[in-house]
Amino acid sequence: MAILGNIIKSFIQLKDTFSSEIIHGEAQQDVLKQLLEKAKNTQFGVFYNFEGILNSDNPAKTFAQLIPFFDYNKMNEDWWYKLHEGEIDVTWPGNPSYFALSSGTTGKTSKRIPVTDDMIEAIRQAGIKQVFALNNFELPADFFEKEIMMLGSSTDLDEKKDHLEGEISGISASRIPSWFRSYYKPGEEIAKIDDWDDRVQRIAERAKDWDIGALSGIPSWIELMLQKVIEHHNLNTIHDIWPNLQVYTSGGVAFGPYEKSFQALMGKPVTVIDTYLASEGYIATQVRPETDAMQLNTDNGIYFEFVPFKPEYINEDGSLTDDAPALTLSEVELNQDYALIISTVSGAWRYLIGDTIEFTEIERAEIKITGRTKFFLNTVGSQLSVNKMDTAIRELENQFDTTIPEYTICAKRGEDGEFYHYWYLGTELENKNKEQVAQALDKSLQEANKNYKVARSKALKGVVVNLISPDSFYDWNANNKKKGGQVKMERVMGEDKFADWEAFVSKN
C-alpha cells in the first residue's frame, strides 16, 4: 500500500477543500496595487508617478494611460542597463538576485532579464498551485511516491559580482527545496552538466536506476531525451524502463504540434498537463483535465493586460503601435488573439512578452498560447498566425499518416519576382512527396483562413515545401548554441535568417 502517497494525496485533497475560489478580476486589481505600492519609490516608480496612479479613481486605466509599452530592448535600453552599472532601486526595490538568460526564438544575443527574490517566491507559489491542482486529475496514491524528471537548462549558474545568471528553468531547479530533492531527477550532479548532449547521455545511462512517475520540460527536448533513453537500452517504448510514468508537464510552447510524435514514444496513455513558465515569470498552468487550457496566475506577482492581435496594432518587427488598446481581464472576449502584456515583481512594466494567447474561459481566466507576435506572417495580407499554421500541420499529419513536430516558414520572392511561402517541414516523409504535401497544406490554409485565401488569389503566388528530417531543426539550434532548456524553434523567419537556414540545411 502506498502509505506516503496516500498521506500526500489526502493533504492535497484537504487543502483543496478549504481553498476558496479565486475571483480573477478582483485578484488582478489587488496585484496591480501591490506592484505599484512596492515600486513607487524606485526610479521607475518616481518617474511615472506611481503614487499618483495609486491615488487616482481608476488605477488600472491611469496606469495604461501614463506608462508606454515596453519590450525587452526598450526596457533594457531605458532602465535595466542601470542594474548592470551597479545602480539599485531601478524598476524594483533593491537588486535582483538572478538574471535569466534568454535568447528567445528570434534574438541574436542572450537577453538578461532580472529575476528578483519576489519573483522566485511567486514562481514557488505558482508551483504549489500546480501541485494542488493534481487533485483534479484523479491520480492514484502511488503516483505521489514516484520520482519526477525535470529536464531544463543547467543548474550550474554563472556567478557574477552580485548575482547569478542562467536560464529560468535552471534557476528554478537550483532553488528546489531540500524535502523535494529525493524526488527530483536527474539529480543535482547531472543537472549541473552544461553540455546538453552530455547531460542526456548521463540520463540515459542512469535511467534504469529511477522510478519516474512524471516528466517536465519543453516537448522537443523531452522527446529527444526519451529517444536517447529508448535507444540506449534498446527498448520499444519509454514505459519499458519507466512503467509508472503517468504524467507529463509540458511547457514553453503549445503541446499540440508534438502530441503525435510524443505519444509514439509511450507504451500507454500519459496525462499531459500544460504549463506556461517564461523567463519573465510563471504565467499560467492547467488546473483541470476537462480542458488543455491553462489558468492565468492572477493572484501572484503578475498583472496582465491584453492587446487585440490585429494587423493595425502590430508593427513589422512584432512590436506594438503606440495607440494599440490594452484591455484588462474584465474586458477581454473569447475567440480573439491577444498580445500578452505583463507587469511583474521583477520590475517589468507593461512588457510585451512576445506571446499571443486566446481565452477559452473568461470567468476561470483560462487561456491557450496561439503563437508569437514576431511569428505573425502578414506578407501580402496572408495574416497567418502560428495557431493557424499548427492546425494545418495537424491536418497534414493525419492526411499523410506521419508526424511533423517541427517546421519553419518564410515569405519571399521567387526567381520570377512573385511572392511565395517557403516551408520546411520536419518529417520522415520522403521529399518526393513534397508537391502533394504543398497542395494539401495550401488547401487547408485557404479553407481555414479567408485572408490567406484572398492573398492566394492575388499577390501570394504559391507554396513551396521541402521535407527534411526533424533532426535538422535540432542541429540548427545546436549550431547556434541554443540547445535544450527553454529553446524553441522559430516558426517564421525573415529573409536574412532564412537564407542562413537554407544554407545550413543544404550543407548538412
Side-chain angles (χ1 to χ4, degrees):
M1 183 178 179
I3 297 175
L4 178 60
N6 275 298
I7 293 172
I8 295 172
K9 186 171 183 179
S10 296
F11 175 72
I12 290 174
Q13 290 172 334
L14 187 66
K15 173 69 166 57
D16 187 61
T17 300
F18 288 98
S19 296
S20 57
E21 192 74 24
I22 297 172
I23 302 175
H24 296 282
E26 293 180 5
Q28 279 287 273
Q29 294 176 33
D30 291 340
V31 166
L32 177 59
K33 291 175 182 177
Q34 292 163 10
L35 292 172
L36 294 171
E37 182 65 39
K38 185 150 188 178
K40 66 183 181 182
N41 294 321
T42 63
Q43 295 181 40
F44 192 95
V46 171
F47 185 86
Y48 285 107
N49 190 20
F50 279 11
E51 186 77 58
I53 296 174
L54 281 164
N55 292 327
S56 66
D57 293 335
N58 189 332
K61 184 177 181 180
T62 308
F63 178 71
Q65 289 174 338
L66 295 183
I67 300 175
F69 296 121
F70 288 86
D71 57 14
Y72 172 79
N73 290 332
K74 182 173 174 57
M75 199 81 214
N76 193 58
E77 291 167 4
D78 292 358
W79 296 96
W80 284 345
Y81 78 91
K82 298 181 180 183
L83 295 171
H84 306 305
E85 295 180 353
E87 297 189 37
I88 62 172
D89 301 333
V90 178
T91 62
W92 195 253
N95 271 334
S97 298
Y98 302 88
F99 279 87
L101 303 181
S102 172
S103 59
T105 45
T106 54
K108 294 181 179 178
T109 58
S110 287
K111 301 173 184 176
R112 301 169 72 204
I113 298 166
V115 180
T116 63
D117 289 340
D118 288 321
M119 178 56 76
I120 292 293
E121 176 60 20
I123 292 173
R124 189 182 76 86
Q125 290 295 330
I128 291 173
K129 169 186 171 182
Q130 180 189 348
V131 171
F132 284 122
L134 291 175
N135 182 52
N136 300 327
F137 290 84
E138 298 182 354
L139 297 166
D142 63 356
F143 167 77
F144 296 95
E145 295 183 343
K146 305 306 177 185
E147 295 162 327
I148 301 174
M149 171 67 68
M150 299 172 62
L151 186 65
S153 54
S154 171
T155 59
D156 189 19
L157 307 179
D158 293 331
E159 294 188 26
K160 302 299 181 180
K161 182 178 181 181
D162 58 354
H163 66 271
L164 298 171
E165 293 185 353
E167 287 188 19
I168 191 65
S169 58
I171 293 172
S172 299
S174 73
R175 294 289 297 252
I176 286 175
S178 57
W179 64 265
F180 183 68
R181 287 175 186 163
S182 62
Y183 294 92
Y184 166 60
K185 298 301 175 217
E188 294 181 67
E189 179 184 349
I190 295 177
K192 285 185 176 181
I193 298 174
D194 186 55
D195 184 89
W196 193 85
D197 291 311
D198 288 347
R199 195 174 347 136
V200 170
Q201 178 62 34
R202 288 288 301 280
I203 289 171
E205 292 168 357
R206 291 288 312 279
K208 64 182 182 299
D209 300 330
W210 302 324
D211 187 7
I212 302 298
L215 301 170
S216 178
I218 284 183
S220 55
W221 305 114
I222 283 286
E223 283 192 15
L224 287 179
M225 182 271 290
L226 295 177
Q227 290 168 1
K228 187 68 174 180
V229 173
I230 291 170
E231 176 188 329
H232 184 82
H233 295 277
N234 194 27
L235 310 173
N236 291 318
T237 75
I238 197 63
H239 278 105
D240 293 339
I241 196 168
W242 294 333
N244 295 308
L245 175 61
Q246 299 180 65
V247 172
Y248 168 46
T249 301
S250 178
V253 295
F255 179 66
Y258 303 93
E259 182 173 7
K260 192 169 183 178
S261 54
F262 177 84
Q263 296 298 345
L265 302 173
M266 301 295 115
K268 53 188 175 182
V270 168
T271 298
V272 178
I273 300 176
D274 267 324
T275 64
Y276 186 0
L277 173 64
S279 299
E280 293 84 357
Y282 198 155
I283 307 295
T285 190
Q286 183 183 344
V287 297
R288 57 195 184 104
E290 307 94 289
T291 175
D292 57 358
M294 298 171 287
Q295 186 175 83
L296 291 171
N297 290 319
T298 57
D299 62 341
N300 193 17
I302 303 176
Y303 176 69
F304 298 100
E305 296 173 273
F306 312 92
V307 173
F309 193 57
K310 298 180 179 179
E312 58 264 35
Y313 303 140
I314 310 297
N315 294 315
E316 189 173 334
D317 63 356
S319 63
L320 300 176
T321 62
D322 293 337
D323 62 346
L327 309 181
T328 65
L329 186 57
S330 62
E331 297 171 318
V332 297
E333 299 176 350
L334 296 175
N335 304 316
Q336 163 69 56
D337 281 0
Y338 293 100
L340 188 60
I341 309 297
I342 61 173
S343 299
T344 77
V345 290
S346 275
W349 297 101
R350 305 205 76 215
Y351 182 99
L352 176 65
I353 197 170
D355 291 322
T356 61
I357 60 96
E358 70 171 345
F359 282 86
T360 61
E361 171 83 58
I362 293 174
E363 188 174 348
R364 294 178 185 266
E366 288 181 338
I367 65 161
K368 288 186 177 182
I369 300 172
T370 57
R372 298 280 294 171
T373 56
K374 291 185 178 180
F375 294 172
F376 180 64
L377 191 60
N378 195 32
T379 306
V380 299
S382 55
Q383 293 194 27
L384 278 184
S385 58
V386 169
N387 62 322
K388 290 186 174 69
M389 299 181 208
D390 283 348
T391 299
I393 294 298
R394 301 292 72 73
E395 292 182 7
L396 289 182
E397 286 185 328
N398 293 330
Q399 183 174 342
F400 291 91
D401 191 25
T402 188
T403 60
I404 309 174
E406 301 291 352
Y407 68 86
T408 194
I409 179 177
C410 177
K412 65 172 187 173
R413 294 185 186 276
E415 294 181 358
D416 58 2
E418 301 286 354
F419 271 105
Y420 292 81
H421 280 176
Y422 289 82
W423 292 76
Y424 279 79
L425 307 183
T427 177
E428 297 307 320
L429 283 175
E430 294 184 16
N431 208 40
K432 66 182 182 181
N433 298 307
K434 65 182 183 179
E435 296 299 333
Q436 289 177 278
V437 173
Q439 291 173 14
L441 178 59
D442 189 33
K443 180 181 177 182
S444 175
L445 289 171
Q446 288 193 52
E447 290 175 349
N449 183 353
K450 63 180 181 181
N451 292 306
Y452 177 85
K453 186 174 183 178
V454 170
R456 280 290 286 115
S457 68
K458 297 182 179 179
L460 183 59
K461 186 70 172 179
V463 172
V464 179
V465 166
N466 285 283
L467 307 178
I468 62 174
S469 168
D471 290 344
S472 296
F473 294 85
Y474 311 134
D475 293 342
W476 163 261
N477 282 326
N479 188 65
N480 288 281
K481 299 181 179 179
K482 293 166 61 177
K483 194 170 187 179
Q486 298 296 109
V487 174
K488 294 158 277 188
M489 182 66 194
E490 51 264 77
R491 296 304 194 201
V492 177
M493 292 187 184
E495 289 192 45
D496 290 343
K497 176 164 278 192
F498 196 72
D500 293 339
W501 159 257
E502 291 201 297
F504 175 83
V505 171
S506 177
K507 179 180 178 182
N508 291 275

